Amino acid sequence: MSRICELTGKGRMTGHNVSHANNKTKRLFLPNLQNVTLMSEALDRSFKFRVSTQGLRSVEHVGGLDNWLLKTSDEKLSTSAQKVKRELKKKAAA
């Protein structure tokens, strides 16, 4: 399972462990991913996503899953999030 947030696209980063003697060794910085269930108010359904904690805070700040999906570009979203976004747009058009 890839370590990528399904809503923000946040993934792993590389860097160095730096010792006291300034020796550098490669390391990975992994995002803090959590399995969460988010409720869509427009569709009146809940959806399960694997989201970073920072992404979860961003979704709550914007005003919920519906607002987040409509404002976020498709490149950052996973395929399951893109499906939900298409359902939202279809519901709004109807």
Side-chain angles (χ1 to χ4, degrees), residues 2 6-7 9 14-15 24 33 37 43 46 55 62-63 68 70 73 79-80 84-85 88:
S2 62
E6 293 186 19
L7 297 181
T14 58
K24 296 173 181 72
L33 296 179
T37 302
L43 299 174
S46 60
V62 169
W68 175 264
L70 294 175
S73 63
T79 53
S80 59
V84 176
K85 184 176 180 177
L88 280 171

Side-chain angles (χ1 to χ4, degrees), residues 31-93:
N32 184 8
L33 296 179
Q34 306 293 324
N35 293 319
V36 295
T37 302
L38 297 172
M39 185 72 181
S40 170
E41 295 167 1
L43 299 174
D44 200 33
R45 284 182 51 201
S46 60
F47 298 94
K48 289 189 176 186
F49 291 110
R50 194 151 189 240
V51 182
S52 65
T53 53
Q54 186 65 43
L56 191 58
R57 291 181 66 207
S58 299
V59 169
E60 293 300 320
H61 178 75
V62 169
L65 180 64
D66 299 339
N67 291 339
W68 175 264
L69 290 174
L70 294 175
K71 290 183 180 182
T72 306
S73 63
D74 286 343
E75 293 88 38
K76 291 185 180 180
L77 298 174
S78 67
T79 53
S80 59
Q82 288 177 5
K83 285 181 186 177
V84 176
K85 184 176 180 177
R86 272 186 249 120
E87 286 183 38
L88 280 171
K89 286 185 176 179
K90 194 181 293 183
K91 176 90 172 192

